[in-house]
Amino acid sequence: MLTAKFDQLVKQLRILPGVGQKSAQRMALHLLTKKRPQGMALAQALDEAMRDIVECQRCHSFSDDAVCPLCQDPRRDDALLCVVETAADVMAIEQTAGYRGRYFVLGGHLSPIDGISADDLNIEQLVWRVKQEPVEELILATGTTVEGQTTAHFINEAVSRHVNKVTRLAQGVPMGGELEYLDSMTLGQAMQNRSFL
Amino acid sequence: MLTAKFDQLVKQLRILPGVGQKSAQRMALHLLTKKRPQGMALAQALDEAMRDIVECQRCHSFSDDAVCPLCQDPRRDDALLCVVETAADVMAIEQTAGYRGRYFVLGGHLSPIDGISADDLNIEQLVWRVKQEPVEELILATGTTVEGQTTAHFINEAVSRHVNKVTRLAQGVPMGGELEYLDSMTLGQAMQNRSFL
């Protein structure tokens, strides 16, 4: 609209999730008017991240090096392995600051409709790992969608001979949840899995 | 959280307006997982825009060259000059597709509280331009804030000897506006400036 380079910037900003034409224009104008050095720093950080961040060889999460900081950390408990769908899930669990074991990222969930089979996920590497290493508990922290649950059952079948304990995340009423607004599936689960006070 | 370069990217994404920690993480993960080439293209567009976009020598809007496409366009009417606060306003008016004159960007509005006086805006250049060039109508399209209106009055004083017609944007009920939700200042203005059907 204003200049070719401005239009190009707006167009490229729209690849960001949740950013439409109006927000992209606002971002571009904001950076150009007041934040050029920061805009350049963002360009550099983006370029470096896209080029240099690789998949960790051990857990398949994101890493700057061949093995990520979480896999390298000697204070982590090797006996606990938490299986998640994506690196975003690793980050979400890390933010709870309550888990001190290791992670393993599947790279998605089984989904026949989308043509994603076990070979498309890191399931073989996971089975290999629990065979080789002394994992005492495997926590299946896949999503509670149909695909996530199917994936969890599939993995359970594949690893049950090699791991003593296979667990999954508790399902129930979320914190701050008002019962009347909760879906009946969740409420039913919570009732079934009720525990002593 | 995951890796140093990831954290750096999230931190830099937060300089974008309306982007907090959560959105920045989501953006970074989205780009890393599925859109690396697009992420690199964004980095390049950002870098080029920050480095190469300059202020147009004639209208002070943004431009890739010394003079912007709008000032160069021979089909534009030189007799009409629309004065706005920022390049974003130029873009907003261009999107109406109803104006075919030229633009002049002040670079803000007068604001004694923020220490912005006439010398901080491009008012001198504007006066010089209307003295030199055959501008028949000067449209003061500054904001309808107190500062914007003050700026319009100040410019009117400065240019009135050199331009025949000085106009301002109509004030009234916005399109699709329901009267009962409109603020009384706007409604009062609309009543005062009522026109024949």
Side-chain angles (χ1 to χ4, degrees):
Chain A
M1 179 64 65
L2 286 178
T3 77
K5 285 186 181 172
F6 184 87
D7 289 356
Q8 181 62 15
L9 175 56
V10 169
K11 189 182 140 205
Q12 296 296 341
L13 281 167
R14 293 192 54 186
I15 64 156
L16 296 173
V19 175
Q21 182 70 18
K22 275 273 172 191
S23 319
Q25 280 178 8
R26 197 159 65 92
M27 287 174 173
L29 288 166
H30 178 79
L31 292 176
L32 282 169
T33 312
K34 297 179 209 151
K35 309 235 159 162
R36 293 208 186 201
Q38 292 93 322
M40 280 191 233
L42 170 56
Q44 203 194 329
L46 252 176
D47 193 65
E48 280 184 14
M50 296 300 122
R51 278 177 208 281
D52 299 344
I53 293 181
V54 292
E55 202 175 288
C56 170
Q57 285 172 1
R58 268 182 73 70
C59 74
H60 303 279
S61 178
F62 291 125
S63 178
D64 293 346
D65 308 300
V67 176
C68 78
L70 288 174
C71 287
Q72 280 183 28
D73 189 343
R75 290 163 303 174
R76 289 269 171 171
D77 186 354
D78 285 315
L80 272 174
L81 187 61
C82 179
V83 177
V84 292
E85 296 184 13
T86 66
D89 300 331
V90 173
M91 206 152 61
I93 295 176
E94 277 302 288
Q95 276 164 359
T96 69
Y99 177 69
R100 299 300 302 168
R102 306 284 181 186
Y103 291 98
F104 190 92
V105 176
L106 293 171
H109 48 230
L110 295 174
S111 176
I113 289 172
D114 302 316
I116 300 170
S117 70
D119 296 340
D120 299 314
L121 305 179
N122 302 315
I123 292 178
E124 206 177 315
Q125 293 93 315
L126 174 63
V127 176
W128 186 87
R129 179 156 167 181
V130 295
K131 272 187 196 167
Q132 305 294 319
E133 296 179 17
V135 175
E136 276 166 35
E137 181 177 349
L138 195 71
I139 303 165
L140 296 177
T142 52
T144 52
T145 56
V146 173
E147 292 90 350
Q149 308 234 31
T150 309
T151 310
H153 285 294
F154 184 91
I155 292 172
N156 188 30
E157 292 287 312
V159 301
S160 56
R161 287 186 299 126
H162 311 293
V163 190
N164 274 334
K165 251 199 299 192
V166 179
T167 57
R168 58 200 292 248
L169 296 186
Q171 283 185 280
V173 184
M175 285 293 285
E178 300 228 47
L179 294 196
E180 60 174 317
Y181 300 119
L182 209 60
D183 65 293
S184 54
M185 284 279 283
T186 303
L187 195 52
Q189 282 271 358
M191 182 60 87
Q192 220 169 0
N193 303 336
R194 66 193 181 276
S195 60
F196 286 105
L197 196 67
Chain B
M1 180 64 64
L2 287 177
T3 77
K5 285 188 180 169
F6 183 86
D7 289 355
Q8 180 62 15
L9 175 56
V10 169
K11 189 182 139 205
Q12 296 295 342
L13 281 167
R14 292 191 55 187
I15 64 156
L16 296 173
V19 176
Q21 182 70 16
K22 276 272 172 192
S23 319
Q25 280 179 8
R26 197 159 64 92
M27 287 174 174
L29 288 167
H30 178 80
L31 292 176
L32 282 169
T33 312
K34 297 181 209 148
K35 310 236 158 161
R36 293 208 187 200
Q38 292 93 323
M40 281 192 233
L42 170 56
Q44 202 194 329
L46 251 175
D47 192 65
E48 281 185 14
M50 296 301 122
R51 278 176 208 280
D52 299 344
I53 294 180
V54 292
E55 203 176 286
C56 170
Q57 287 173 1
R58 268 183 72 70
C59 73
H60 304 279
S61 178
F62 291 125
S63 179
D64 293 346
D65 308 300
V67 177
C68 78
L70 289 174
C71 287
Q72 280 183 28
D73 189 343
R75 291 163 303 174
R76 289 269 172 171
D77 186 354
D78 284 316
L80 271 174
L81 188 60
C82 179
V83 178
V84 293
E85 294 183 15
T86 67
D89 301 330
V90 173
M91 207 152 60
I93 296 176
E94 277 302 288
Q95 277 164 0
T96 69
Y99 176 70
R100 299 300 301 166
R102 306 283 181 187
Y103 290 98
F104 190 92
V105 177
L106 293 170
H109 48 229
L110 294 174
S111 176
I113 289 172
D114 302 316
I116 299 171
S117 70
D119 295 340
D120 300 313
L121 306 178
N122 301 316
I123 292 179
E124 206 177 316
Q125 293 94 316
L126 174 63
V127 175
W128 185 87
R129 178 156 167 181
V130 296
K131 273 187 194 165
Q132 305 294 318
E133 296 179 18
V135 174
E136 275 166 35
E137 180 176 349
L138 194 72
I139 303 165
L140 295 177
T142 52
T144 52
T145 56
V146 173
E147 292 88 351
Q149 310 234 32
T150 310
T151 310
H153 284 293
F154 184 91
I155 292 173
N156 188 31
E157 292 286 312
V159 300
S160 56
R161 286 185 299 127
H162 311 292
V163 190
N164 274 334
K165 252 200 298 192
V166 180
T167 57
R168 57 199 292 247
L169 296 186
Q171 281 184 282
V173 184
M175 284 294 284
E178 301 228 46
L179 294 195
E180 61 175 316
Y181 300 119
L182 210 60
D183 65 291
S184 53
M185 282 280 283
T186 303
L187 196 51
Q189 282 270 358
M191 184 60 88
Q192 220 171 0
N193 303 337
R194 66 193 181 276
S195 61
F196 285 105
L197 194 68

